[in-house]
Amino acid sequence: MRRQHPPLVDTILADNAGGAQAATRELLRHGARRILFLGDSLELYTMRERHAGFLRALASAAPEGADFSVATAHTAAEAADVVTALLGTGRIDAVFAANNRASVGAVDAFTRVGARLPLIGFDDFEAATLVRPGVSVVAQDVALMGEAAAQAVLARLAGDTPPPATTTLPTRLILRGSELP
């Protein structure tokens, strides 16, 4: 869901910026200094939020310095092409995949080339545990999001009519080994 200003309806969101910031900090903690932000268009609210969290984490690494690249990929195939083209150039030393299509594309590129970089993706996906190392991800609690949405609807049906609100729920960083060099 996209944030509305002011909210026109009750909105339940994941902490996109916070999750991206945590993922990027983890990559930095393991020594990454030239991180690729790989995701869909920054015109999308979720991508802008994830990019903002990514930049906040990089800014916090100021004493050691960090650099980044941004690439747009709408499909896993496009993401694979971007990562394949950048592997081995020295321009990047880690990948933050801002959605699951970008994660899948990065894994595909690593397989194609026979090399890999540290990787953390946003959004868990079924195949994340099938590769070695497993893909580390920022996970959204979709069950909690559904529960919060249902509670908001039921409250309104029961006559509770406060102004529409936006609820932002926490994300969780799941480390499976792909964040490591």
Side-chain angles (χ1 to χ4, degrees):
M1 180 128 226
R2 310 296 188 248
R3 184 182 232 33
Q4 305 155 355
H5 296 286
L8 303 174
V9 297
D10 293 314
T11 306
I12 312 300
L13 300 170
D15 183 4
N16 289 287
Q21 186 172 358
T24 306
R25 277 189 189 146
E26 187 67 18
L27 291 168
L28 291 164
R29 189 172 77 79
H30 290 289
R33 290 297 174 264
R34 295 176 312 282
I35 304 172
L36 170 64
F37 178 96
L38 180 61
D40 213 320
S41 170
L42 293 178
E43 291 181 20
L44 298 172
Y45 170 78
T46 52
M47 284 298 118
R48 283 194 314 274
E49 286 293 299
R50 293 170 191 180
H51 188 249
F54 172 79
L55 293 177
R56 275 201 303 271
L58 291 176
S60 72
E64 298 111 35
D67 195 11
F68 68 95
S69 299
V70 175
T72 301
H74 303 293
T75 67
E78 288 177 5
D81 290 344
V82 166
V83 174
T84 298
L86 289 171
L87 276 170
T89 65
R91 290 179 44 205
I92 62 171
D93 61 8
V95 177
F96 172 64
N99 61 26
N100 55 10
R101 288 183 309 279
S103 296
V104 168
V107 170
D108 182 34
F110 298 160
T111 303
R112 269 192 229 169
V113 175
R116 66 177 274 300
L117 295 173
L119 164 70
I120 298 180
F122 202 109
D123 292 330
D124 207 354
F125 58 102
E126 291 174 351
T129 59
L130 299 179
V131 295
R132 294 290 169 250
V135 179
S136 298
V137 296
V138 176
Q140 303 178 59
D141 190 337
V142 293
L144 183 60
M145 292 174 89
E147 182 180 317
Q151 287 174 353
V153 168
L154 292 173
R156 290 204 178 271
L157 289 173
D160 189 7
T161 58
T166 298
T167 303
T168 302
L169 299 174
T171 56
R172 184 169 51 107
L173 187 58
I174 301 173
L175 301 177
R176 297 181 174 126
S178 68
E179 76 283 1
L180 302 172

